[in-house]
Amino acid sequence: MLANDDLNLLIRAAQDAGQIALRHLKAGPTVWQKPDGQGPVTDADLEIDRMLHNVLRAARPDYGWLSEETRDTPDRLAHDRVFIIDPIDGTRAFAQGQQGFAHALAVVEHGLPTAAVVHLPVPNLTYYAARGQGAFLNGRAISAADRRAVTGARVLAPKSQFTPDLWQGGVPLIAPHFRSSLAWRMALVAEGQFDAMLSLRPTWHWDIVAGALLIAEAGGKVSDGAGHNLLFNTRSPRSDGIIAAGAVMHDALIDLRKPQRAG
């Protein structure tokens, strides 16, 4: 199957990216700030981006390309299948010598992910999925948690996401947890280590597309912050936030985003 071939290609490429990241991590990466407040970038981000572009496009020259570290062009919209890549997700953690960074790679076909990998090289964790074939961590099948009650749930999100202006139905009574990498947060939800993850601000596709397939294949549910289905490789490669969890938990969180009906 094509999805399996793409998945194998992504796994190898992600592991090669990990080797580059570890080399830079050992030597100490060079860090600078992107313009317009877009955050930090390192020499490792750019080397990995170049390697992935060369390897993946050589293997699939008919696929389009969208990466955080490559200038975006409308050309990708003309392709049925597109690579969507975050060379290093969690660059701040990486630049500080921490292990909480990941390489997030996905193939999207007509707006939907068909193969995805989230690889963390320091703890040597490789999460992967192909559409319709389940989600896995280092060869072991994983599944999302089936918790139903929002109160007390373990949710990965910054504390800033739990203010009254964002929750018209009442701020959830949960203790938020945090990981630097959005892709890793989603992988942890797919693994069932946490009940949900969310970000209610505009979210780049390269941060979430691989995790979206992992969670869907692990039996969970993913949407934008208002509960709408996600579509990737759109003209503006952002979603209006993201909420990901087991199916019941997801719908309960979406309900809290809406005004409560009187009576």
Side-chain angles (χ1 to χ4, degrees):
M1 294 178 62
L2 181 59
N4 285 338
D5 291 341
D6 284 346
L7 181 59
N8 290 333
L9 175 65
L10 294 182
I11 290 172
R12 292 193 300 270
Q15 292 172 344
D16 288 345
Q19 292 303 307
I20 295 173
L22 291 175
R23 170 166 50 80
H24 282 270
L25 196 64
K26 183 177 180 180
T30 301
V31 188
W32 63 95
Q33 294 295 317
K34 298 179 185 179
D36 303 319
Q38 297 179 67
V41 65
T42 72
D43 48 351
D45 291 83
L46 301 186
E47 182 178 346
I48 291 168
D49 188 62
R50 288 192 299 269
M51 181 277 290
L52 291 174
H53 185 273
N54 292 339
V55 169
L56 297 177
R57 292 299 303 279
R60 304 285 190 273
D62 56 328
Y63 287 20
W65 181 263
L66 174 64
S67 167
E68 180 177 9
E69 306 304 344
T70 304
R71 186 177 64 86
D72 188 21
T73 70
D75 174 73
R76 61 182 169 80
L77 300 173
H79 294 264
D80 292 338
R81 300 184 184 92
V82 179
F83 291 113
I84 300 184
I85 305 296
D86 194 341
I88 297 181
D89 185 39
T91 295
R92 285 184 177 86
F94 175 76
Q96 295 168 5
Q98 300 174 13
Q99 70 174 29
F101 66 90
H103 311 292
L105 291 68
V107 171
V108 165
E109 182 175 6
H110 299 299
L112 299 176
T114 58
V117 176
V118 175
H119 176 59
L120 284 81
V122 178
N124 193 27
L125 301 176
T126 305
Y127 300 85
Y128 57 92
R131 188 192 298 173
Q133 299 184 51
F136 299 85
L137 166 59
N138 290 357
R140 171 179 61 87
I142 56 176
S143 58
D146 59 359
R147 182 184 177 91
R148 306 176 71 86
V150 172
T151 299
R154 290 166 50 82
V155 179
L156 285 160
K159 291 181 181 180
S160 62
Q161 302 298 289
F162 297 96
T163 56
D165 60 306
L166 297 175
W167 301 88
Q168 299 179 72
V171 178
L173 298 176
I174 63 97
H177 299 260
F178 186 73
R179 298 292 186 275
S180 295
S181 163
L182 270 170
W184 188 22
R185 293 178 216 170
M186 298 184 74
L188 287 167
V189 172
E191 189 185 357
Q193 294 295 315
F194 289 85
D195 300 307
M197 67 79 61
L198 58 88
S199 179
L200 302 178
R201 62 184 183 182
T203 308
W204 293 108
H205 286 176
W206 49 71
D207 288 326
I208 61 173
V209 60
L213 183 61
L214 287 171
I215 290 172
E217 289 297 320
K221 191 172 181 180
V222 184
S223 72
D224 72 10
H228 304 131
N229 291 335
L230 294 173
L231 192 66
F232 298 100
N233 193 40
T234 51
R235 185 170 297 277
S236 175
R238 283 186 171 189
S239 73
D240 186 15
I242 184 166
I243 294 180
V248 175
M249 174 66 68
H250 173 276
D251 291 350
L253 288 169
I254 292 295
D255 284 345
L256 287 175
R257 292 272 290 147
K258 302 173 182 177
Q260 297 294 289
R261 296 179 180 177

